[in-house]
Amino acid sequence: MEKLRRIEALHARPGSEGEREAAERARERIQARLKQLEAEEPPIEFRFTLADQWSRHLFVALMRRYGIRPYRYRGQRRTTVMARLSRSFVNDTLWPEFLELQSTLAAYFDALTDRVIEQALEVKAGEAEEQQQAAPQLPPQEHQGSLL
């Protein structure tokens, strides 16, 4: 994972021509490993279900970066991404790297959201405070509007 994080860091902000070339060679090595795994272990069709549009966009971009063609079938939900890959590549490279990048992206979005809310509304953003006593048993109330 550390090696993959360094590769991502190099691609994200390569400072010199040498760093850019090193990052490109590293990506080419990962693509070569993918080809080798496909020869040793036949690709199978995977279905990935991603919770939100940001995760889906990140996952599709990561797959395309390695030369993988993501797709979905007519009638599948937009949260579904399909791909033909070797199980080893998914388990050892693609999915762990995605989870790491997704965690970083989620933290960035959380911080950005709080900052925008605090600047626009001039109050502290974040979660509601937790009360010490248990919640009273109230009858459910209907909500007429929609949040989205």
Side-chain angles (χ1 to χ4, degrees), residues 92-147:
D92 299 340
T93 304
L94 183 67
W95 195 250
E97 183 174 3
F98 165 72
L99 291 176
E100 184 70 30
L101 292 169
Q102 181 190 34
S103 173
T104 301
L105 187 64
Y108 174 76
F109 283 157
D110 285 345
L112 178 65
T113 300
D114 285 349
R115 189 170 63 241
V116 168
I117 289 169
E118 289 171 7
Q119 288 175 357
L121 300 179
E122 298 178 353
V123 295
K124 180 82 174 135
E127 298 296 327
E129 74 179 56
E130 186 174 317
Q131 297 292 320
Q132 295 299 323
Q133 69 269 16
Q137 297 297 318
L138 300 173
Q141 298 294 311
E142 292 292 325
H143 177 65
Q144 299 298 321
S146 172
L147 295 177

Side-chain angles (χ1 to χ4, degrees), residues 6-30:
R6 287 193 308 264
I7 291 167
E8 289 302 323
L10 286 172
H11 271 284
R13 295 181 204 258
S16 68
E17 187 60 33
E19 287 177 336
R20 279 189 286 276
E21 289 174 11
E24 183 60 31
R25 283 192 307 273
R27 183 171 66 140
E28 288 169 0
R29 284 191 304 271
I30 290 174

Side-chain angles (χ1 to χ4, degrees), residues 41-57:
E41 181 184 336
I44 58 176
E45 187 173 59
F46 280 88
R47 181 182 69 213
F48 302 94
T49 303
L50 301 150
D52 56 61
Q53 67 183 354
W54 299 281
S55 297
R56 188 178 70 246
H57 286 242

Side-chain angles (χ1 to χ4, degrees), residues 25-102:
R25 283 192 307 273
R27 183 171 66 140
E28 288 169 0
R29 284 191 304 271
I30 290 174
Q31 288 174 328
R33 183 172 186 280
L34 176 59
K35 296 284 188 227
Q36 177 189 359
L37 285 172
E38 286 176 354
E40 296 170 3
E41 181 184 336
I44 58 176
E45 187 173 59
F46 280 88
R47 181 182 69 213
F48 302 94
T49 303
L50 301 150
D52 56 61
Q53 67 183 354
W54 299 281
S55 297
R56 188 178 70 246
H57 286 242
L58 174 64
F59 191 66
V60 167
L62 186 60
M63 289 179 22
R64 287 179 177 152
R65 182 167 183 204
Y66 293 132
I68 300 164
R69 187 181 70 83
Y71 58 93
R72 66 185 171 88
Y73 292 109
R74 184 182 318 273
Q76 284 184 318
R77 294 175 187 236
R78 297 186 66 75
T79 56
T80 301
V81 177
M82 306 290 291
R84 294 190 59 78
L85 302 160
S86 72
R87 185 175 302 277
S88 297
F89 183 74
V90 171
N91 292 336
D92 299 340
T93 304
L94 183 67
W95 195 250
E97 183 174 3
F98 165 72
L99 291 176
E100 184 70 30
L101 292 169
Q102 181 190 34

